Amino acid sequence: MKTIRLLRWSGSVLSPRIRPCVYIRPILLSSRLQSTATASVPDEFDDNVSQPTIIPPIDLTTLPSPPPSRALQSAKLSALHARLSLPPRLPIQTLARCLVDASADFHPSFNNHSLSLLGNDLLGYYTSELILCRYPRLPMMIIFAAMQAYVGPATLTSLTREWGVDIAAEPGGEVDPGLLQFKAIIPGNADLAGDGTLLKDSQTGTISKLWRRGISSLSVTDDYFGALPPRSPTDYLERPELAAQEASALRDRGVTLERASTNFVRAVMGAVYLHAGRNAAKAFFRAHFQSRALNVSKLFEFRQPTRDLSRLCAREGLVSPVARILSETGRESRTPVFVVGVFSGRDKLGEGQGGSLDEARIRAAIAALKGWYLYSPLVVRVPSEVEEGGKWEGVLIDGGEVVV
C-alpha cells in the first residue's frame, strides 16, 4: 500500500484517529530457534522466562462507531469508492469516517463534522460562482432557489440514495462501516423551520418568535440558502456553554435522515478536496452537481409582471412598454387564441398567447422579464478557474432586480 503524504495545514482533520486503549491487537512474544540446534524447553516455573502477553479482543458493541481498521474489510465501502470514481489518494478509512454522523459518535476525530463544514463551504462557493457568472441578472430569491436545487438538503438526500448508500438501523461498533450511521430523531418531533426548534417545543409554547427578514439580511448575514446561519466559532468562544448545550441536545434528540445524508455528501466533498486537491474537487463537483439539469425559468413567480416591466424600462432608460395584438383567431368562438407582443419603441421585448387579451398581455410581460433576467454570456468563466494561474476577465455586473 502506498503511503499518502498529508499536507501540514490539514493535520487537524487528517490526524491519526486513535481511541485510547481500544485498538490494540493481541501480541505474542516468541523466540525464533535455529533448525540445527536442539530446542530447549523453558521451565514452567522459571521466573526469568517471559510469558506470552495476550490481550483479549475488544467488544465492538461498546464502541459508538466502527473502528478504522474494519474499513479495509468492508465490501460496501470498496464498492462505494469505485462507484463514485473517487481518487486513489482518498483512503477507505476517510470514506468510512464520512459515513459517521456527529449524532452517532461525538468524538471529533471519528465523525464527519469537520469534513462536512469544509464540504459545505466548497459546495456553496462552486455553486454560487456558477450561478452568478452564468446568469448575472438573476434576482436574489431566484439565486437562493437555484442554490437549493443544486446543493440543498433535499438534493443531497436524493444524491445519497442515487449513490446506493444504505442506512444503519442503529449506530455502533459492530455495524458495517459502509452504512450511514446516525441517531434517528424521535418520530413526530420534527424540525419546524430548520433552526433546531422542535414540534413538541412549539406545542408547549417555548418556541421563540421568528422575526421577518428582508433581502439585505438574506444576502448579507444568512447562509447560502437564505436561512439563518448556525452559530460561528466566535459565538462558542464568547459563550462556552453553548457548545455543551448543543452537544447534549444532539445526543438526546438525534437528527433526521435528510440532515445525516446532507452531512455525508458534504463530508465526501471535503475529503476529496483535502486528499486529492483542488482539481479533483472541481472534477467531482462537475460530475455530481453541476451536471444536474435545472430549468431556471421555472423558478420565477411574478405577481404584477406588467408593473415590473414598466419599472425596469424606466430604470434602463427605455421607452415605456406597449402591448400590441400580433394575431388572433376564433374571437367569437368558445376557445379564442390571442397573440400579443410587448414593444418598447420599435423593439419587441416579449411575446405571449392566451385565451383572452389580458392573459396574453401578462404572458408577454413575463416573457420579456425572463428574457432580461435570464441573460447569459456566450463564454462563462468562474473565478475558481484562474486559481492555478491565468488572467481573470470580469463578468457583467447588473444593477440588480427591480424594486417596486
Side-chain angles (χ1 to χ4, degrees):
M1 181 178 294
K2 296 183 179 179
T3 304
I4 300 176
R5 179 176 298 177
L6 305 180
L7 302 178
R8 294 181 178 178
W9 51 268
S10 60
S12 59
V13 179
L14 303 179
S15 57
R17 299 181 296 154
I18 300 176
R19 206 183 294 270
C21 303
V22 173
Y23 309 121
I24 304 177
R25 295 183 178 180
I27 302 175
L28 295 178
L29 301 178
S30 61
S31 59
R32 183 179 180 181
L33 304 178
Q34 298 182 359
S35 58
T36 57
T38 303
S40 59
V41 180
D43 189 0
E44 185 178 5
F45 302 97
D46 191 359
D47 296 337
N48 298 327
V49 179
S50 60
Q51 299 295 330
T53 303
I54 301 178
I55 301 178
I58 301 300
D59 187 8
L60 297 178
T61 58
T62 60
L63 302 179
S65 62
S69 58
R70 292 191 58 203
L72 299 175
Q73 306 171 2
S74 175
K76 292 182 178 293
L77 278 177
S78 300
L80 180 62
H81 195 285
R83 192 183 305 124
L84 301 183
S85 300
L86 296 177
R89 296 182 59 184
L90 178 63
I92 297 292
Q93 293 87 341
T94 304
L95 183 59
R97 179 182 176 183
C98 296
L99 289 165
V100 180
D101 191 75
S103 60
D105 193 340
F106 301 101
H107 199 288
S109 298
F110 292 88
N111 58 37
N112 60 6
H113 180 66
S114 56
L115 295 174
S116 177
L117 292 178
L118 176 60
N120 182 34
D121 292 339
L122 291 173
L123 290 177
Y125 170 52
Y126 291 151
T127 308
S128 59
E129 69 173 3
L130 174 66
I131 296 175
L132 291 176
C133 293
R134 180 174 294 179
Y135 303 105
R137 290 177 176 171
L138 282 183
M140 202 65 204
M141 298 306 298
I142 306 300
I143 294 177
F144 288 143
M147 291 286 295
Q148 286 279 1
Y150 273 115
V151 293
T155 303
L156 299 186
T157 304
S158 176
L159 196 62
T160 303
R161 293 194 299 265
E162 294 174 5
W163 287 353
V165 178
D166 297 328
I167 305 168
E170 190 71 21
E174 74 282 2
V175 177
D176 192 319
L179 299 177
L180 180 60
Q181 305 153 53
F182 65 98
K183 182 180 180 181
I185 195 171
I186 302 175
N189 200 20
D191 194 347
L192 286 179
D195 57 353
T197 304
L198 300 181
L199 179 62
K200 293 182 178 179
D201 295 336
S202 64
Q203 295 175 355
T204 57
T206 59
I207 182 173
S208 60
K209 181 178 180 180
L210 299 178
W211 298 96
R212 181 181 178 183
R213 294 171 291 133
I215 296 296
S216 299
S217 174
L218 296 177
S219 58
V220 177
T221 61
D222 293 354
D223 61 1
Y224 297 107
F225 312 109
L228 290 174
R231 291 188 174 93
S232 62
T234 306
D235 299 333
Y236 295 120
L237 291 176
E238 295 177 352
R239 299 181 59 187
E241 68 275 5
L242 292 178
Q245 294 176 1
E246 292 186 358
S248 177
L250 185 63
R251 186 183 301 108
D252 300 336
R253 182 179 61 197
V255 297
T256 60
L257 173 60
E258 183 179 81
R259 182 175 177 183
S261 302
T262 301
N263 292 337
F264 159 66
V265 178
R266 292 172 177 173
V268 173
M269 183 66 185
V272 171
Y273 183 85
L274 282 180
H275 286 276
R278 184 186 299 112
N279 294 332
K282 287 284 293 183
F284 185 80
F285 174 79
R286 287 192 296 266
H288 297 278
F289 302 94
Q290 185 177 340
S291 59
R292 306 179 71 89
L294 175 63
N295 191 355
V296 183
S297 62
K298 299 291 185 179
L299 303 178
F300 285 88
E301 182 180 357
F302 299 98
R303 297 182 178 179
Q304 295 184 356
T306 54
R307 184 184 63 176
D308 295 345
L309 183 60
S310 300
R311 294 293 181 88
L312 177 61
C313 292
R315 191 191 71 179
E316 299 297 328
L318 303 177
V319 181
S320 299
V322 178
R324 301 172 185 171
I325 299 179
L326 300 180
S327 63
E328 63 175 284
T329 179
R331 178 186 285 264
E332 303 297 335
S333 64
R334 296 180 57 185
T335 57
V337 177
F338 300 93
V339 180
V340 176
V342 176
F343 293 83
S344 176
R346 301 181 61 181
D347 299 327
K348 185 171 70 171
L349 304 180
E351 180 180 326
Q353 62 181 11
S356 63
L357 289 175
D358 289 339
E359 180 183 357
R361 179 172 56 88
I362 291 176
R363 290 179 181 271
I366 291 176
L369 289 173
K370 286 185 178 180
W372 173 265
Y373 286 128
L374 293 178
Y375 161 78
S376 179
L378 297 178
V379 180
V380 180
R381 296 194 63 187
V382 294
S384 61
E385 293 182 359
V386 297
E387 291 179 353
E388 299 292 343
K391 184 179 179 181
W392 165 249
E393 298 179 1
V395 297
L396 172 68
I397 300 178
D398 189 66
E401 56 188 292
V402 178
V403 179
V404 179

